[in-house]
Structure formats: C-alpha cells, structure tokens
Amino acid sequence: MELVHSGKVRELYADGDDIIMVASDRVSVYDVVLPTPIPGKGRVLTQLSLWWFGQLRDVIPGHVLSATDVPAPWQGRAIRCRRLQMLPVECIARGYLAGLGLASYRETGTISGVRLPPGLGEGSRLPEPVFTPTTKAAAGHDEPMTFSEVEALVGGLTAAGLRRATLEVYRRGAELAARRGVLIADTKLEFGLLPDGTLMLADEVLTPDSSRFWLASQWQPGGPQRSLDKQFLRDWSAGLDWDRRPPGPAIPADVVAATQARYTELFTRLTGRE
C-alpha cells in the first residue's frame, strides 16, 4: 500500500480505491507531537469513532467501509474507508464555553462571528449549540472563520450542509452522552464529498482527541472542568517552561497513566465496553 498522508496522529494508506486510516498512540498538544506515546490511545480513538459512526448512521452517512478488512498488524486501530474529496474546513460545534471559544468570547463577545449573550463564563452552557468553523491549516494553527468565509471557500450549499450536519451530529452525540452522565462541551468534525457530491462524515468522531468531555455530575460553570479528554495534557503542558514549539516535552509516567485512564474511562462510560 502507498502512504498518502502522515498526520500528527494518523497515517493514511491507499489500498486500491479505498483508504486505510491507522491511528497511532502519538499525542499532540498545541499542534506539536510530543515524544511520549499514550499506550492504547490509537485503539481507543478508532473503536470509539466506530461506535459513534454506528450511532450516527441515520444522521449522516460515514466513510467507514470495514473495521475488520485491514492488515492484521493494525487490527483494532485501523478503518477501511471510502476515498473522499475532503473539505478544507474544520467544523466545530460548541454547546459550552471553553478553550479558544472562551478566549474569543472574552475579547469580542463572539466566536467565529457568532455573537453570544453577555455574562457567560468559563464552562457556561450556551443558549443553543453554535457552529464555529476554523481553517484547516497545513502548517501552524487553524484560524477562526465566519460562516460567510466558509461560503466563499466551498460554496453556499456546501457551507449550509456543513453547518447543518455539524450541529446535528453534535446534538445527537450530546443527547446520547448525557444519558451516560457525560457532557460534550464542543467537538471538531471533518467532512468530505463523494464524486456525486454526497456529504459524508469522515476522520474521527467525538473522540477525546477531537472533543471536550466533562462529567455531568461535576459540572460547575464559572471555572475549569474535570476533563475526560486531551485537555488534561494541555493543562499539564501549560505549567511547563515551554514555548509551544517543537520539540515538545517528554510526558512523565504519571501523566501518561492519568491521560490513559481518562481516555479509557470515557470509552467505557459511553460504550459500556471495557
């Protein structure tokens, strides 16, 4: 097979007309891949994405062809996928205020051009989920986009489809997670097109690498939340003397174990599987 792309976490291989997407145990913080892997992380990302693709099949079609028709060494951490024309937009849905969305709100009262009510704080639930897209930067950091900028980039009909699909996936995901005692604060999704123009959900879906997950029982607006996602690593790295440029810092064993435990706990809470 031909390696067609190597990302921060995943490798993509061409296998005839299909793509084999393989999730590694690598982890990135602020777009920098750290030198220490999180054991089992690639398997959690893959299996949780597969579970979500199944839960969302009546919301939007996904790119999954098979979870088992992959090379034996990659079983459990690889997916055979349809080859898509990927759209150059990171599609973000937010239901709570956190991260870069919080920073933008504090500065301008808006996120990606969407004006929000005054008086919200860190961890506040938004009146309704909002679509706050960003660029998909080949290098460096993604930048916020307004909906008008998305329309200019991909066309009005496709932009409307991206916004609708992103919010529908978020709402369905948040509803299912809430039944299991988990809040989805926000999530980042990717979409692609089939040759006939059909919009499809791609890449990873509602994983702890791409989303913020909080325990509903511990949610307290007004400050940071206990996360079951990569935010734990971001918070750890924020306390280091590091300029957020390569090379990234090595992760101590206790932080590796705590990160691994959060990913595993989230997977079990959502899917009911060990």
Side-chain angles (χ1 to χ4, degrees):
M1 291 182 291
E2 176 192 359
L3 177 65
V4 294
H5 179 72
S6 183
K8 292 187 288 290
V9 174
R10 289 172 177 78
E11 271 80 44
L12 302 182
Y13 294 85
D15 186 18
D17 292 333
D18 303 337
I19 294 291
I20 306 293
M21 183 173 70
V22 186
S24 73
D25 290 343
R26 297 190 299 270
V27 66
S28 68
V29 176
Y30 304 115
D31 295 318
V32 176
V33 177
L34 303 187
T36 314
I38 306 297
K41 174 175 171 283
R43 183 175 295 272
V44 169
L45 298 184
T46 298
Q47 295 303 313
L48 186 56
S49 287
L50 286 167
W51 185 81
W52 279 118
F53 276 117
Q55 302 299 314
L56 297 164
R57 63 168 60 93
D58 63 328
V59 174
I60 183 172
H63 68 161
V64 176
L65 290 171
S66 175
T68 56
D69 185 14
V70 297
W74 297 336
Q75 285 286 339
R77 62 173 61 240
I79 304 173
R80 180 176 293 274
C81 310
R82 292 176 174 84
R83 189 187 292 261
L84 303 176
Q85 176 192 339
M86 297 301 294
L87 293 168
V89 180
E90 298 279 9
C91 294
I92 298 172
R94 300 179 186 274
Y96 296 77
L97 204 51
L100 294 177
L102 173 64
S104 176
Y105 171 78
R106 284 174 169 170
E107 182 177 346
T108 67
T110 67
I111 309 176
S112 294
V114 178
R115 184 156 296 279
L116 298 174
L120 300 176
E122 183 173 4
S124 290
R125 179 185 285 126
L126 303 182
E128 61 181 4
V130 294
F131 177 61
T132 59
T134 70
T135 59
K136 190 186 292 186
H141 301 291
D142 299 333
E143 298 295 334
M145 300 178 73
T146 65
F147 184 69
S148 295
E149 289 171 333
V150 178
E151 289 181 307
L153 184 62
V154 301
L157 286 177
T158 299
L162 288 174
R163 179 169 61 183
R164 180 175 58 253
T166 300
L167 293 175
E168 287 178 354
V169 167
Y170 174 80
R171 289 189 178 102
R172 173 64 66 83
E175 175 186 327
L176 291 174
R179 297 177 194 167
R180 294 157 171 83
V182 175
L183 302 179
I184 304 179
D186 54 45
T187 193
K188 178 174 66 177
L189 303 169
E190 294 198 37
F191 297 87
L193 300 173
L194 288 174
D196 65 2
T198 300
L199 185 67
M200 303 200 83
L201 184 60
D203 198 55
E204 62 183 322
V205 182
L206 295 167
T207 73
D209 266 17
S210 66
S211 315
R212 285 185 174 86
F213 294 95
W214 303 334
L215 288 176
S217 61
Q218 298 180 14
W219 173 58
Q220 288 288 340
Q225 311 295 315
R226 181 182 183 274
S227 65
L228 295 177
D229 54 67
K230 196 166 68 171
Q231 187 61 42
F232 175 76
L233 271 180
R234 295 189 191 99
D235 293 342
W236 162 77
S237 68
L240 303 177
D241 183 16
W242 175 47
D243 61 4
R244 300 183 181 181
R245 296 179 182 177
I251 309 173
D254 61 328
V255 177
V256 169
T259 303
Q260 186 181 38
R262 281 166 167 78
Y263 277 49
T264 302
E265 179 183 350
L266 176 70
F267 178 81
T268 300
R269 282 181 177 271
L270 291 177
T271 68
R273 306 197 321 248
E274 296 294 331

